[in-house]
Amino acid sequence: MRTGKIGEILVEKDANVVRDLLRRSGVFSVMLLGGPGCGKTRLIDETIVRLAPVMEIGMISCDDAPQRDAGRVWRQTASVTCVSAGDSRLPDAARIRAAVDQLDLGRLNLLFIEYVSTLAIPASLDLGQDATVALFSVAAGDDKPAKHPAVVRAADVVVLNKTDLLAAVPFDLPRFRTDVRRLNPSVGIFELSAFRGNGMEAWIDWVRRNVATETDAASHWFG
Ligand SMILES: Nc1nc2c(ncn2[C@@H]2O[C@H](COP(=O)(O)OP(=O)(O)O)[C@@H](O)[C@H]2O)c(=O)[nH]1
Ligand SMILES: [Mg+2]
């Protein structure tokens, strides 16, 4: 990660370039942020299954594992392009910019950035994305929002994944909701199981609505 005054300006510039490129092309971009194993890739896959028939989707992977998995749904779907931002080091805006440069933005409607994080996040999470989605999972415990307040505060939307496990592990759902709301009163919360499909409709609806708004704005401003 670059540091110092000049470094900060460069990082900010990269994020602005990414934002401008995506906005002009009418691409709605979502950064999906969460610890290893919370279900980021699974949620992206399940979202792709539901939306690939109606839109073109890009995905920037910041870890190499999906590249090795020949079973990934995006490999079999013509309307999905996946590029890597390198290994699992925290991506910065410069690496996202380089990844965005590999995409045919004119074709895309939706872009996911999968951001693997220890939840000890850097001060700025601005990589040029439109929306920051913090993903938590029932398996990781109800205390995680309170333990990682910066993640909740940085989020536009919080997703609680693996709700199918609520019957199997101790998880205080009201406490989870209260902690999230206390830290970020305006944040949207979706509770779902990417694996079983419960709660996916509301999430898909949110994505679709935002894609439509972004497309309309681009055609209004840029023709
Ligand atoms: N029970 C359950 N398992 C899930 C769910 N979503 C993902 N998983 C599993 O959790 C593991 C990690 O998921 P993955 O998407 O690779 O997590 P990532 O590291 O955040 O990308 C995999 O075995 C998934 O199949 C869910 O909703 N319920
Ligand atoms: Mg993953």
Side-chain angles (χ1 to χ4, degrees), residues 19 21 36 40 45 70 90 93 96 112-113 126 175 182 188 195:
R19 192 172 3 260
L21 285 170
K40 295 177 295 299
D45 280 357
L90 286 180
I96 296 301
F112 282 114
I113 303 167
D126 182 15
R175 181 184 159 187
R182 180 173 48 79
F195 173 49

Side-chain angles (χ1 to χ4, degrees), residues 35-43 114 161-165 192-196:
C38 66
K40 295 177 295 299
T41 305
R42 185 73 190 240
L43 180 59
E114 179 175 350
N161 187 33
K162 309 198 187 184
T163 53
D164 56 290
L165 297 180
L192 54 84
S193 165
F195 173 49
R196 295 275 179 212

Side-chain angles (χ1 to χ4, degrees), residues 61-69 84-88:
S61 157
C62 298
D63 97 52
D64 285 336
Q67 306 287 356
R68 292 199 295 268
D69 185 353
S84 176
D87 59 28
S88 50

